[in-house]
Amino acid sequence: MRCTCSRCPTLAAVSISLVLGACGGRETTAPETMPIHLEDRLASAQIEGAEVDAETAKPIAWHFGEGPAGWKVLPSRVEGATPAEVDVATEGLRVSLKKTSFAPEKNEGLDGGVYIDVDALNIDLWSHVLIEARASAETTWIGIGYNLNESPGVEPEDQWPTAFWGSGTRLVGDGRVQTYRIPVRGEGGPITEPVRQVVIEFGAKGPAEIELLSVSLVPALATYAESGVGVRSVSSMNHQAFGPQRRTLYSHVPSRIAFPLRVPGHGRLDLALGTFGGETRLKVAIDSGSSTEVLLDESVPPLEAWRQRSLDLEKWSGQEIELVLQSEADSPGALAFWASPTVSSAKAERSSERPNVVFYVIDGASAGYMSVYGYERPTTPNLQQLAAEGVVFDRAYSNATWTMPSTASFMTSLYHSVLGGLRDDANPVPPRVPTMAEHFHDAGFHTGVFTFNPNAGALSGLDRAVDVFRDYGKRSDPFDPIEAISSQVLQGQFWEWRNAYPGPYWVHFQTTDVHP
């Protein structure tokens, strides 16, 4: 039992590890572990094309060493407040937050900022904003927004400076130049209009100065420019949908990636299709040496939801073939996405050697209120049923009182001190330390993480080697009603993934129904 809440260190959490009989066993003639994760076999693949288009990956950059570069003072929309002061400093643009930058009866802190007019931008094509700045106050924060709010007659609490919000972070107030990478999108809802203004807003609890040295708006294609073919976690192609991320093989278009392999008995290929930058034709073919047969040929528009596909490889069972993923497009700068491309066996057969494994954390739950631990009311009848068939630990101790270090210890079997210490919003799991997900992925399992607590997800580096990853991240309202049904939301997304692949599975749930 351990607490996973940074706000409530007295709460406990309950984790349940379940080993379920695998209904996704398989029969195969291949002398290798099933399933085969194709994205992990790039080293043995033959790659043609996949050239990076440098022009489409160029950022829009503003440098303030010689003046404001077109940026203007953000007007205040709160009655009684005045805008922040902005002037040219030695190296950049200085934004001063003073006592006049807020109305005390309507705002607990100071805020202000700058904005610039831009040609209509489609925010779906952009990844993040890079900001070079120095700040003088430790409590200072920075946020990105779009399009000035010009709605008249709104209530004061609705007088946000922008119509749409992106993301934000804290500024380091040590007076030194820092570079901040802020995603263009947050969780404030879809951006439904072309972007006409980009806004940078600052806030502090007291007077502060922030000096901007440069701002760069980075296109999404730039994040894939390090190589023509690679592997990364990619969100739903439909950015308006709040779907899970997928472990994805990407390639710049046009491309041809051929994987040599022996097809298992009752073989199948499962994958999801997506594109970015332009409509792209995606093909899957089998090259047997004597002939080539196309199994899939689809034109996929950019930025739509994942297209999940399952292809029958039974015809080539036991044969050595090349499995080919091919892409082509009319417009430059397109990307092809092949999410979790996995070869396995369609033969569903129970196997004691390959059980499914479920690691389920009820985040913030107290053992003292659970009937499975002796509470007088029948609060946990399902856990009692599981306990009757398994093992209950009465003396289980955590390495920490909150989520980030305790979950990291769960997933690595290492003490927090061995992992190198921790600070908020830092990654406590060093890349050289394998996680539970990485062990299971390397052993041929499909891996999934479904969490409502960001400290149990990407912030802790626990998205590595995860085929499907759902991390709801930090929300502005920690008591958002959706938290109360997090288990329903996460389990629904789990079953969508579970039904698309034959297994075996390792999955980590971290629900927050009782967390607040």
Side-chain angles (χ1 to χ4, degrees), residues 37-262:
H37 301 281
L38 293 181
E39 75 274 15
D40 293 332
R41 295 199 168 194
L42 278 177
S44 62
Q46 292 184 346
I47 301 172
E48 299 175 11
E51 299 292 334
V52 177
D53 187 338
E55 287 299 316
T56 59
K58 286 184 177 180
I60 300 175
W62 298 272
H63 300 277
F64 303 118
E66 298 180 358
W71 288 76
K72 294 171 275 190
V73 178
L74 179 66
S76 174
R77 291 191 52 80
V78 178
E79 184 180 354
T82 58
E85 295 182 6
V86 177
D87 55 36
V88 178
T90 304
E91 297 181 70
L93 200 63
R94 181 168 51 228
V95 180
S96 300
L97 302 180
K98 300 184 178 181
K99 290 185 178 180
T100 57
S101 299
F102 75 118
E105 71 277 9
K106 296 172 183 174
N107 198 328
E108 296 180 354
L110 312 182
D111 63 77
V114 293
Y115 76 96
I116 191 168
D117 295 311
V118 295
D119 293 333
L121 296 177
N122 179 357
I123 205 65
D124 288 328
L125 302 180
W126 300 86
S127 168
H128 59 275
V129 179
L130 289 177
I131 299 176
E132 282 187 300
R134 60 163 60 95
S136 64
E138 186 65 40
T139 55
T140 302
W141 58 267
I142 182 173
I144 306 298
Y146 312 101
N147 295 354
L148 297 183
N149 190 348
E150 299 173 351
S151 301
V154 295
E155 295 298 321
E157 60 267 24
D158 295 326
Q159 291 188 354
W160 302 106
T162 59
F164 305 102
W165 277 102
S167 300
T169 189
R170 290 181 303 192
L171 288 175
V172 179
D174 61 0
R176 295 186 297 180
V177 175
Q178 308 283 350
T179 300
Y180 302 91
R181 185 185 191 277
I182 304 177
V184 297
R185 285 185 167 274
E187 296 185 9
I191 300 173
T192 57
E193 300 174 7
V195 170
R196 302 182 305 275
Q197 291 98 22
V198 175
V199 178
I200 301 177
E201 188 178 13
F202 304 97
K205 292 183 178 180
E209 287 190 352
I210 303 96
E211 187 176 357
L212 286 173
L213 278 68
S214 70
V215 175
S216 297
L217 185 57
V218 181
L221 282 172
T223 64
Y224 298 91
E226 69 274 10
S227 63
V229 177
V231 179
R232 61 180 301 168
S233 184
V234 177
S235 299
S236 168
M237 291 300 93
N238 181 359
H239 291 296
Q240 310 302 332
F242 207 35
Q245 297 179 1
R246 305 289 297 272
R247 180 175 166 85
T248 301
L249 168 63
Y250 72 85
S251 64
H252 289 258
V253 181
S255 64
R256 183 183 187 275
I257 310 171
F259 297 90
L261 58 87
R262 177 189 292 270

Side-chain angles (χ1 to χ4, degrees), residues 368-434:
Y369 289 98
M370 292 186 171
S371 50
V372 70
Y373 280 100
Y375 186 60
E376 61 270 20
R377 293 173 57 198
T379 53
T380 53
N382 292 321
L383 295 186
Q384 286 174 265
Q385 181 179 350
L386 285 171
E389 303 171 0
V391 177
V392 176
F393 294 93
D394 293 316
R395 295 172 60 84
Y397 298 96
S398 172
N399 280 300
T401 60
W402 66 290
T403 303
M404 190 176 282
S406 56
T407 306
S409 290
F410 275 160
M411 295 300 168
T412 61
S413 294
L414 295 174
Y415 286 112
H416 179 214
S417 57
V418 177
L419 292 174
L422 175 72
R423 66 181 186 273
D424 285 351
D425 295 344
N427 180 0
V429 180
R432 67 182 182 278
V433 176

Side-chain angles (χ1 to χ4, degrees), residues 256-313:
R256 183 183 187 275
I257 310 171
F259 297 90
L261 58 87
R262 177 189 292 270
V263 178
H266 310 287
R268 59 186 274 184
L269 169 67
D270 295 281
L271 78 171
L273 309 176
T275 65
F276 184 85
E279 183 159 339
T280 302
R281 190 173 179 181
L282 301 182
K283 298 180 182 180
V284 177
I286 299 295
D287 185 348
S288 63
S290 58
S291 64
T292 299
E293 183 171 332
V294 176
L295 304 183
L296 178 148
D297 187 345
E298 295 187 29
S299 290
V300 182
L303 302 175
E304 74 164 15
W306 290 113
R307 293 186 180 184
Q308 188 69 42
R309 297 290 183 263
S310 184
L311 305 177
D312 187 5
L313 307 182

